[in-house]
Amino acid sequence: MSESTHDGPYVLPFRELGMESLPEVGGKNASLGEMIRSLAEAGVQVPDGFAITANAFRRHMHETGLADAIYAELRELDINDVKALARTGRSIRERIRRSKLPQEIHDAAMEAYDQLSRQYDEDAVDVAVRSSATAEDLPTASFAGQQETYLNIKGHEQLLDAIRDCMASLFTDRAIVYREQRGFDHEEVALSVGVQKMVRSDMASAGVIFTLDTESGFRDVILVTGAYGLGETVVQGRVNPDEFWVHKPTARLGYNSVVRHERGEKEVKLIYAEGGTKSVKEVPVPSADRLRFVLTDDEVLQLGRWALAIEDHYVDEDGNPRPMDIEWAKDGKSGELFIVQARPETVHSQAGPARFDSYRRVGTGRILAQGKSVGNQVRSGTVRVIHSPNDLGNFQEGEILVAPMTDPDWEPILARAGAVVTDHGGRTCHAAIVSREIGIPCVVGTGAATSDLTDGTEVTVSCAEGDEGRVYEGYVEFEKQEIAADELPESPIPVMLNVGNPENAFFLGQLPTAGVGLTRIEFVVSSWVGVHPMALIHPERVKDLSTRAEIADRANGYSSLPEFFIERLASGVGQVAAAFYPRPIIVRFSDFKTNEYASLLGGSAFEPEESNPMIGFRGASRYYNERYREGFALECAAIRRVRDDMGLTNVKVMVPFCRTIEEGQLVLKEMATNGLHQGENGLEIYVMCEIPNNVFMADEFADLFDGFSIGSNDLAQLTLGVDRDSDVLADIFDERNEGVQRAIATVIKAAHAKGKKVGICGQAPSDHPEFAEFLASLQIDSISVTPDALPAVCQHLARQREAIASA
């Protein structure tokens, strides 16, 4: 390279930079300048600073004589030789750290720092010194975490050391491997250093934002994660952070669109270290703070609005908003929020049409560890527990990597792992990000996997069962089915989904369906609450003190026990509604049987004993009964929150097991008492058709409700007089029985005569695609099936349409 290549400018203030400056200052610094210059009017606050340019780096490398020797060594290096990689990388970094900056670069950097100190009215401003490579933060390669960041840097001497350290970090072992694996020429990648005013998040909180769901790639939500202290603990996976999901369409309409909150453990935080050689230190978080969320809903929504503005600004080549990976921080002194970094998201944004891999566990195995799932894959292999990057040489191709956490130093072996399991971290930590990028299952935040799992153990790592990732003992068989959204044939009848687990909703919402025909409140209550609602209203009636203590423990951090129920149920329903918005979803009020209610925590104090709970105190009869009406009020409050506060008016509600017209009237009255008025704000109320009396009185039920959903399981059970769970009578129970089919035909005819819609949410069309053909012949308004049955039902109905057309 000629000397002229290294001409100035050597320092540029952020406010003079934009994305067109990327060759000069790298992706990180260019993006900071772009936001300061272009997004201030949108209210986005970014701490100011300056960039030491790539030209300064090149001049330093050549003037000190380092360049020729270093790049020659790298050309000869075999990155698969771990020892040679470590030896070469360490030698290169030490030589750069020891070298002196050219005087012109030194003087320009110190003057810029003094000017920044004056700007913030400080003698020596505290800054973050970050690397910004000229090939990083690209739409196709993030280079996230490949170089170093130094926090709480003050004064000329510390700044000079940090600048040289940043320059040296272009040659970390992980950065060398990353460039080699992705085909970047080492000599063509230069490093700019960003110097940015620190946000005092050590006194408050910080975290990461993705403008899509990181697990499914669903584009209509924003994921905000956060923990106490400086944000490095979240980025590096040192903590299990709080998580918040914001629904973009309703956020744009001004609603409180935080559709889900998940509280993390947040065990430690990174704060300023006053004096000594270390600038930051890690300390434990007090237990009372761990129980609190680090952000209020208003703060989450403000970050969400800024994330939308950033995504809208960073459009792709077709003019579409580009998914972004953003870092935020809250200043503990002023209480203000700031954006401190933004880069393109590089995993889901490059994916093609939505594909859904549906897994169904068919084998069994003892659960050895569990945490948060990353991705939706399943992988079996042999455990290799590694506590330190120094032991990475022992790792073998395809093993299950089990570690306390990972950081970029672990990357040379991550691509060789069959799966990753960590003690610490959340869905935006290093292990999660890299695992998504290379497409392997990852379970983070298990707490004690490095203690509970031992080397050589055969395990199966499953991230295909919702938010909870599991590590099973031995080889556990899963059946896999791939669904390509763009390959599903168009059905002549609207096909909806039965969604039992809200955690899968963002995957399922990307499939071309007509919405959700059934979401059961009892599924959310059992998995996300686990406590009988009446025990939350009247804990004093729970006589067992240990049970009462466990109930209080589950609701820790919430303003009250009932609020715990309302918030958790609203989150579950809200996640499904957001995933399918604006398509309708039908939410069925709880239909636990008394024995099932009694099995919930504290439930035995509130439930009668019944010899036949299947046709006992269940469904509609509970909602107006003094035994449960207060519990039903909590269900109504959760639905109101979803519809009125979150703005998800695509939610319709459904009443199960409604035996008589009089009972239906009592339930509608109870709902109105609790703020759910039929027709208000477009609220539709459906009734399940699962009792013969619903068929005989179909005209009258049609006058009372907005539509029907056929529950073929219970309708067959009560029409045939067969216990659907009986092994002895299994050969008699069949939804395809002619009597059951006549009942269904009667209801559809009666409802259509009254201008009311009829769908089916029972199991029959999922188990028997030909049953869907029968329903289509009756011109049913929709068919709702389980996700795994979707391809077969759509294909069967499409073939039926083609056969009719060609006849």
Side-chain angles (χ1 to χ4, degrees), residues 139-155:
T140 55
S142 69
F143 281 71
Q146 298 309 307
Q147 287 84 45
E148 300 290 357
T149 292
Y150 300 91
L151 305 176
N152 188 23
I153 301 300
K154 290 183 179 179

Side-chain angles (χ1 to χ4, degrees), residues 102-124:
Q103 193 64 43
E104 191 177 351
I105 298 172
H106 169 283
D107 293 347
M110 295 307 102
E111 172 54 32
Y113 175 74
D114 292 341
Q115 173 59 37
L116 189 67
S117 297
R118 290 191 292 272
Q119 180 180 333
Y120 283 97
D121 198 24
E122 296 183 27
D123 292 334

Side-chain angles (χ1 to χ4, degrees), residues 501-552:
N501 186 352
E503 295 165 2
N504 291 330
F506 291 146
F507 282 110
L508 300 174
Q510 298 174 80
L511 298 174
T513 62
V516 176
L518 177 64
T519 286
R520 301 173 174 92
I521 276 183
E522 63 266 22
F523 277 23
V524 182
V525 171
S526 62
S527 60
W528 285 26
V529 179
V531 183
H532 195 291
M534 293 298 290
L536 293 165
I537 299 169
H538 294 290
E540 72 282 356
R541 297 186 195 172
V542 178
K543 301 307 180 186
D544 183 76
L545 295 182
S546 62
T547 301
R548 198 185 297 181
E550 187 176 348
I551 291 170

Side-chain angles (χ1 to χ4, degrees), residues 367-556:
I367 296 175
L368 301 178
Q370 50 192 7
K372 293 180 179 179
S373 63
V374 176
N376 69 329
Q377 302 292 315
V378 177
R379 199 71 58 86
S380 296
T382 302
V383 167
R384 175 71 67 178
V385 179
I386 295 183
H387 292 275
S388 164
N390 297 330
D391 302 324
L392 294 180
N394 299 324
F395 190 82
Q396 301 299 312
E397 185 88 24
E399 289 182 324
I400 307 299
L401 173 64
V402 179
M405 63 175 183
T406 71
D407 59 33
D409 287 331
W410 297 66
E411 286 185 25
I413 68 154
L414 283 176
R416 298 161 54 202
V420 179
V421 181
T422 70
D423 291 342
H424 309 292
R427 289 190 182 88
T428 57
C429 73
H430 173 267
I433 292 171
V434 174
S435 295
R436 283 188 207 100
E437 187 170 311
I438 60 181
I440 60 173
C442 175
V443 179
V444 296
T446 62
T450 53
S451 301
D452 296 340
L453 303 176
T454 55
D455 277 354
T457 305
E458 181 81 12
V459 298
T460 298
V461 179
S462 168
C463 293
E465 300 171 89
D467 275 3
E468 192 171 84
R470 298 185 175 101
V471 182
Y472 292 99
E473 184 177 36
Y475 173 77
V476 177
E477 185 179 359
F478 281 76
E479 288 183 349
K480 177 182 177 181
Q481 180 183 34
E482 291 188 5
I483 303 174
D486 59 341
E487 294 175 7
L488 285 177
E490 184 179 352
S491 169
I493 300 295
V495 179
M496 308 176 85
L497 292 180
N498 295 341
V499 178
N501 186 352
E503 295 165 2
N504 291 330
F506 291 146
F507 282 110
L508 300 174
Q510 298 174 80
L511 298 174
T513 62
V516 176
L518 177 64
T519 286
R520 301 173 174 92
I521 276 183
E522 63 266 22
F523 277 23
V524 182
V525 171
S526 62
S527 60
W528 285 26
V529 179
V531 183
H532 195 291
M534 293 298 290
L536 293 165
I537 299 169
H538 294 290
E540 72 282 356
R541 297 186 195 172
V542 178
K543 301 307 180 186
D544 183 76
L545 295 182
S546 62
T547 301
R548 198 185 297 181
E550 187 176 348
I551 291 170
D553 185 60
R554 289 202 184 195
N556 246 328

Side-chain angles (χ1 to χ4, degrees), residues 625-645:
N625 189 288
E626 290 301 326
R627 282 180 176 270
Y628 188 73
R629 68 188 308 172
E630 291 173 289
F632 182 62
L634 297 186
E635 294 185 31
C636 292
I639 296 297
R640 283 203 320 275
R641 184 167 296 180
V642 173
R643 286 179 50 84
D644 298 342
D645 297 348

Side-chain angles (χ1 to χ4, degrees), residues 355-362 376-378 464 478-485 487-488 497 508 511 766 769 785-795:
R355 300 187 69 89
F356 176 66
D357 292 340
S358 173
Y359 289 85
R360 184 171 69 90
R361 182 165 56 85
V362 294
N376 69 329
Q377 302 292 315
V378 177
F478 281 76
E479 288 183 349
K480 177 182 177 181
Q481 180 183 34
E482 291 188 5
I483 303 174
E487 294 175 7
L488 285 177
L497 292 180
L508 300 174
L511 298 174
S766 296
V785 300
T786 55
D788 60 328
L790 179 65
V793 170
C794 288
Q795 290 160 4

Side-chain angles (χ1 to χ4, degrees), residues 317-331:
E317 57 276 6
D318 297 320
N320 300 313
R322 188 188 297 280
M324 298 295 289
D325 170 359
I326 302 165
E327 293 180 26
W328 65 271
K330 180 179 178 179
D331 193 292

